[in-house]
Each structure stands twice: as C-alpha cells, then as structure tokens.
Amino acid sequence: MNNLKNIPSIDEMLKNERIKQLIEVYQRDFMVDVVRSATEELRRELFLKEEKIKKEKLMQAILVKVEHMVSRLAGGSLKEVINGTGVVLHTNLGRAPLGKGAIDYMVRMARSYNNLEFNLEKGERGERYGHVEEVLTRLTGAEAALVVNNNAAAVLLGLNTLAREREVIVSRGQLVEIGGAFRIPEVMKLSGARLVEVGTTNKTYISDFAAAINEETALLFAAHTSNYKILGFTQEVPLEELVKLGQEKELPVMQDLGSGIFYDKDDWGLREEPAVKRCVAAGVDIVTFSGDKLLGGPQAGIIVGKKALVEAMKKNQLTRALRVDKLTIAALEGTLLEYLLGSPKKNIPVIEMLALSREELREKAERLLELLEMRTEGLSGIRQLKLVELEDMVGGGAYPTYKIPGFGVEIEFSQPGLEKAAKILRLGSPALLTRRQEDKMLLSVRTLLPGDEIKVADLIAGVVQEKGDI
Ligand SMILES: *Cc1c(COP(=O)(O)O)cnc(C)c1O
C-alpha cells in the first residue's frame, strides 16, 4: 500500500524531462493518455508487491512503460510476416502478397490524383467501375463485370439485386459455412432473399430444383463448397443442367465460385482448368469470386456475367456501400494485366508459389539449409538441421485442406525449446511463422518470398544466440 502512495502523479510525470521531449514529438493529449495508462498499469502490478520501492524507481518504471507503449504504436500495428508455413493463401496472414506490377501501379495511383471517376476524353464525370471491366470481360469471356469490396459483398449484392423479397433455390449440400465467418444462409437473410433449400445434405438432383420453382422464384444459386478440386463444375447438380433449367424457366443462375482461377496451364501442380471462364462459357448468368484467393490480387469481390444483370447491380444503392477504392482497383487491374499481357507464373506470387516444380522446391530448400548451416555454425542451440519433404496447402476459404507436396527444413532446437523459439520468431522483426511437427520446427520453402531465405537464417541464428548471450 505504501507503494501506491508513492506512485508519481500524472502532473509530476509530465514535468519529467523525457516526457517533455516526447510531448515535443507527439501530440500532448496522446502523451497524457499514455502516461495515465502506464501509471495505471504500474498501480495494478504494485498492488501485489509487499516490499517498498523508492519513488524514483517507480518513476523509472513508468517511463519504461511509456517508451514501450509509444514505440509499439509508432511502429504500426501491421507487421511484415515471413510465411514459413507452406500455406499459400492464409487468410490470417493477409492472403495473397501482390506482384510487382500491381504494387507499382497502386503506388503511382496512391501518390497522385487520377481519373477514378473522371472521363478524360469527354472532360466529364466518368465511371469508377469502368477501369477493370474491359480486362475482366476479356479474361473471362463475360459480357460485363463489377468489382466490390470482397466476395461476401459480391454474393450479398447479387442476391439483393436479383432476388430481394423473392425466393432463391439452393442445394442443401451447399449451405455450409465457408472460411470461418461466411455462411450462405446468413448472407441470404441479410440480402432480403428467401432461401429455399432442396435435396439432402449429400444428394441433390436437378429434379429437386425443378420441383421447387414457382412464381416467387427469382434465382437458382450454386456455391462452391467442399474442397479445391471440385471447384464448381462437378457439383452434385452439374452446372450445365442448372443452366439449362434456368434457361427453360427464364430464371438467372448465379454461381459463387469462391476462388477465381484464370491461369489455364495445367502444369502448376493443381491440374485445374480456368474455372471462371468455364462457368461463363457454360452459360452461368452471374459468377462471383475473390480477388485475393487463387487470383493472387488484392481483397476484392469480382462479379462477371450478363450485362443486364450486372448493370442492375451497378444501380443498386448497396453498391455505393460496398464499393472499392482506387488502390484496390489499381492493384486488381495490375494483377489482371499480368494474366492478359504479362507472365502470371513469374509476376503473381501466388501463382509462382503454386507453380514451383519439385526440383525448384528442393533447390530452394537446399539453399535455405545451406544458409542456416552457415549462420548457425558453432552455435550450440541447434541440435539438428535437416532437409525434409512435407505437405503444403493451398489454403484460403473454400479449400482449407487441399494438400500439395513440398520441401522444407526441419529444425531441432536444444536451447531454447521449440515453444520459446517459435515465440521469439513470432515477435521478431520481421515476424517468422513456422510449423511444428512433434518437437521439431518445420520451415516450408514454398511460401518464402525472394530474399526471405537470408532473413530466415538470420532470425533463426538470432534465436539461438539470444540464449547464448544470457
Ligand atoms: C472465400 C469464399 C467466400 C468469401 O469470399 P471473401 O472474398 O473472403 O469475402 C465466399 N464464397 C466462397 C465459396 C468462398 O470460397
């Protein structure tokens, strides 16, 4: 209790030289607030302490806390993370890292004014959504396109525009939750559309859809659900049949693809055809997908399809609330242009990572192993370093379990233990995320970006050195 009385007051703290210096750099109100938080934190800690502590020492303790709080905030909340997990699309890690073309284009548009909503030719107001529309329609073969905040927004907008206060028919097997917080029935409710479930969890036939159609029906809906491989066209009800039924009954068909794949070479390990193009060609009226899944671009929800339907969505007031900003448009167009004019396998990191051959992965792992051996030579904290084969994952939303063979380095620590080493790496700068297998650390090389290997070697060496210094 004596200690509590000894805690310097806020006013006393504000007279301290170091705090005065900080007030010259930062906002005064902010500094007062930080000093107050630091003081309160100390008060809580002292409550349990019996031994008496001098006032100067308490003041020092507050100063340390203040410095810590200020530097934590000033460094920014987002930190660079080196992804050693081998999960290519990790929603928790910001999904797709952008390629150079997208980044350069985005930075140019961020620095300057631009024609986001200005028609330079006519000298009058232009259309925000026109910027990516042509490249999207050329890539997908669709008549029209629209980009909104994310795919959840795209689905919401599609349902609201095409089926508000009317019925949407969906297979019961596709009503699952996708990627954590996205649930088809919830989004349906929000959109104002009425959900009509048909079929059973594991079997739905086209006749189930046909039987549910009545004058209230506005839309036939399909969602890509389970794993990556089935990707939309080997649904329980084949897409082609759904399209045929829609055409017969004059009802639009909307397909939520989740991931948009444009890359049509099958030599990148996944052996997939370009799903977006295929859905459009199959006659689906509206296809929605994410910009930051297999497309490898920024967070965005992309809608492609029939012109009249997309135009109706553009006019929907909801679009104003779901709209994308200039940075997203620039990053997305920059990414899409790599597919159209560039070299996606070289310039879109996500595609590059997935396209790495077994040999390339092995070489990458050998390089990392060599660097690690060099940097940790003579340090006793590492018991063993070993090249290993492991399983990477595509990750992201709808196909969390799709595995692909990869390579990496296995690290066995003696000091500090695995738990502690992983924590030090997480808190490092940049942070390094790894995997664990029993009592060993696994570092997959697939998801390491150019230049990461040397940083990884330094960070790992730092972990064992840290212990050695004590
Ligand atoms: C990932 C996913 C979504 C959500 O997309 P976001 O871009 O994350 O909003 C919706 N539907 C499917 C099928 C998905 O895979």
Side-chain angles (χ1 to χ4, degrees), residues 294-326:
L294 280 177
L295 184 61
Q299 178 188 304
I302 301 167
I303 302 166
V304 300
K306 300 275 157 65
K307 196 170 177 70
L309 304 182
V310 173
E311 288 304 318
M313 289 186 206
K314 284 183 186 171
K315 292 200 185 89
N316 189 329
Q317 277 299 308
L318 245 190
T319 303
R320 178 63 178 77
L322 306 175
R323 79 179 186 186
V324 280
D325 82 323
K326 61 191 175 188

Side-chain angles (χ1 to χ4, degrees), residues 172-227:
R172 195 163 266 129
Q174 296 181 351
L175 290 174
V176 295
E177 175 175 301
I178 299 151
F182 183 87
R183 288 181 164 171
I184 299 280
E186 304 292 322
V187 176
M188 197 80 74
K189 213 181 282 168
L190 268 176
S191 75
R194 287 198 301 276
L195 173 67
V196 177
E197 302 171 35
V198 297
T200 60
T201 311
N202 61 339
K203 283 203 172 166
T204 304
Y205 301 96
I206 193 67
S207 53
D208 296 324
F209 271 87
I213 293 174
N214 62 51
E215 62 273 25
E216 283 296 297
T217 308
L219 185 68
L220 308 180
F221 182 81
H224 165 53
T225 53
S226 50
N227 79 9

Side-chain angles (χ1 to χ4, degrees), residues 420-431:
K420 174 131 191 254
K423 180 159 185 193
I424 295 170
L425 292 171
R426 283 202 309 277
L427 296 176
S429 186

Side-chain angles (χ1 to χ4, degrees), residues 21-318:
Q21 279 172 2
L22 286 169
I23 287 175
E24 271 171 40
V25 182
Y26 302 103
Q27 243 190 37
R28 189 188 157 83
D29 285 355
F30 162 66
M31 281 313 306
V32 173
D33 200 44
V34 169
V35 168
R36 185 169 293 131
S37 310
T39 309
E40 273 162 23
E41 200 175 288
L42 184 73
R43 191 183 305 276
R44 279 195 299 276
E45 288 168 10
L46 287 182
F47 210 77
L48 303 169
K49 279 227 165 65
E50 289 293 326
E51 83 266 33
K52 202 162 169 211
I53 307 168
K54 286 214 179 83
K55 189 160 189 162
E56 289 86 273
K57 257 202 135 166
L58 295 177
M59 194 161 213
Q60 274 311 313
I62 293 174
L63 282 176
V64 168
K65 286 184 190 295
V66 166
E67 298 269 5
H68 187 74
M69 283 177 187
V70 171
S71 72
R72 188 164 44 84
L73 257 168
S77 167
L78 284 169
K79 304 263 189 295
E80 283 170 272
V81 173
I82 295 177
N83 180 3
T85 66
V87 181
V88 177
L89 292 164
H90 207 307
T91 300
N92 302 153
L93 304 184
R95 291 199 186 151
L98 295 176
K100 192 174 177 304
I103 294 166
D104 290 349
Y105 188 21
M106 184 173 65
V107 169
R108 273 193 288 130
M109 292 311 117
R111 277 207 193 103
S112 59
Y113 290 103
N114 55 66
N115 63 334
L116 180 65
E117 286 187 3
F118 193 78
N119 185 325
L120 292 169
E121 205 173 313
K122 293 185 181 155
E124 61 188 34
R125 198 195 147 93
E127 213 211 313
R128 174 180 296 250
Y129 300 105
H131 298 287
V132 267
E133 187 157 18
E134 184 177 354
V135 59
L136 274 170
T137 53
R138 286 193 187 275
L139 276 167
T140 61
E143 293 172 6
L146 170 62
V147 179
V148 289
N149 181 59
N150 58 10
N151 188 34
V155 175
L156 178 69
L157 178 64
L159 293 172
N160 180 269
T161 309
L162 306 177
R164 192 163 54 97
E165 284 165 26
R166 296 183 63 199
E167 292 180 359
V168 179
I169 307 178
V170 191
S171 159
R172 195 163 266 129
Q174 296 181 351
L175 290 174
V176 295
E177 175 175 301
I178 299 151
F182 183 87
R183 288 181 164 171
I184 299 280
E186 304 292 322
V187 176
M188 197 80 74
K189 213 181 282 168
L190 268 176
S191 75
R194 287 198 301 276
L195 173 67
V196 177
E197 302 171 35
V198 297
T200 60
T201 311
N202 61 339
K203 283 203 172 166
T204 304
Y205 301 96
I206 193 67
S207 53
D208 296 324
F209 271 87
I213 293 174
N214 62 51
E215 62 273 25
E216 283 296 297
T217 308
L219 185 68
L220 308 180
F221 182 81
H224 165 53
T225 53
S226 50
N227 79 9
Y228 169 76
K229 262 192 161 169
I230 59 166
L231 231 142
F233 27 93
T234 41
Q235 309 282 350
E236 335 124 82
V237 173
L239 211 52
E240 286 76 7
E241 284 185 24
L242 206 58
V243 167
K244 193 158 155 270
L245 180 66
Q247 281 165 356
E248 276 166 24
K249 305 284 181 184
E250 295 185 352
L251 287 170
V253 175
M254 178 164 142
Q255 160 90 344
D256 172 19
L257 257 191
S259 211
I261 304 181
F262 288 173
Y263 194 62
D264 60 359
K265 301 270 166 47
D266 71 351
D267 62 352
W268 58 322
L270 291 169
R271 310 215 169 275
E272 257 318 324
E273 289 178 66
V276 179
K277 215 170 177 169
R278 194 178 152 175
C279 284
V280 171
V284 177
D285 299 277
I286 290 291
V287 183
T288 67
F289 51 96
S290 295
D292 57 352
K293 288 187 181 168
L294 280 177
L295 184 61
Q299 178 188 304
I302 301 167
I303 302 166
V304 300
K306 300 275 157 65
K307 196 170 177 70
L309 304 182
V310 173
E311 288 304 318
M313 289 186 206
K314 284 183 186 171
K315 292 200 185 89
N316 189 329
Q317 277 299 308
L318 245 190

